[in-house]
C-alpha cells in the first residue's frame, strides 16, 4: 500500500471492485486508489472533469484507461450519500 494515499481511497477501490466488470487485481489497487484520489479531489473542489482530464489522471495513476467509463458510471450510480460517507472516512 502506498503511504501517500489515505485508506479511504482503498475502501472505495474495494467497493468498486465488487461491481467492476473486469476483475480488479491486487497489483492494480495502488493505481486505482491513486486515480480515485485524483478524481475525487477534483470533484470535491467543484472542478470540471473533462474526458481529457480523466485520461490524464489515468495516465498519471497508471490505470488501464479502459476503466475510466466504468469508474465514472460507478461513481454516478453510487450516489451522493455513499460518496460523501466514504470520502469522510479517516
Amino acid at each position: 500500500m502506498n503511504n501517500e494515499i489515505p485508506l479511504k481511497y482503498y475502501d472505495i477501490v474495494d467497493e468498486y471492485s465488487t461491481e467492476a466488470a473486469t476483475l480488479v487485481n491486487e497489483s492494480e489497487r495502488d493505481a486505482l486508489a491513486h486515480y480515485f484520489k485524483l478524481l475525487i479531489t477534483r470533484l470535491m473542489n467543484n472542478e470540471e472533469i473533462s474526458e481529457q482530464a480523466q485520461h490524464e489522471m489515468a495516465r498519471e495513476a497508471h490505470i488501464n484507461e479502459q476503466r475510466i467509463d466504468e469508474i465514472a458510471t460507478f461513481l454516478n450510480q453510487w450516489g451522493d450519500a455513499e460518496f460523501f460517507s466514504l470520502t469522510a472516512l479517516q
Side-chain angles (χ1 to χ4, degrees):
M1 179 186 341
N2 184 339
N3 291 331
E4 296 176 17
I5 301 173
L7 287 174
K8 64 185 173 186
Y9 297 105
Y10 287 91
D11 292 338
I12 296 169
V13 170
D14 291 342
E15 185 68 29
Y16 164 71
S17 69
T18 66
E19 300 181 25
T22 305
L23 178 67
V24 173
N25 295 315
E26 188 65 30
S27 62
E28 294 179 280
R29 289 179 48 75
D30 287 338
L32 285 167
H34 185 191
Y35 182 74
F36 277 113
K37 179 181 177 186
L38 294 170
L39 183 63
I40 290 170
T41 297
R42 286 189 183 205
L43 288 170
M44 293 182 74
N45 289 334
N46 293 318
E47 295 177 37
E48 186 71 25
I49 302 175
S50 67
E51 188 171 329
Q52 179 182 351
Q54 290 176 57
H55 284 274
E56 289 170 3
M57 288 184 289
R59 284 189 293 275
E60 180 181 337
H62 304 290
I63 70 161
N64 182 334
E65 292 184 32
Q66 293 178 342
R67 289 203 182 269
I68 292 172
D69 289 339
E70 185 178 64
I71 289 170
T73 300
F74 165 74
L75 290 176
N76 285 333
Q77 290 177 344
W78 215 22
D80 291 338
E82 290 181 49
F83 170 77
F84 286 111
S85 69
L86 261 182
T87 56
L89 291 175
Q90 296 299 323

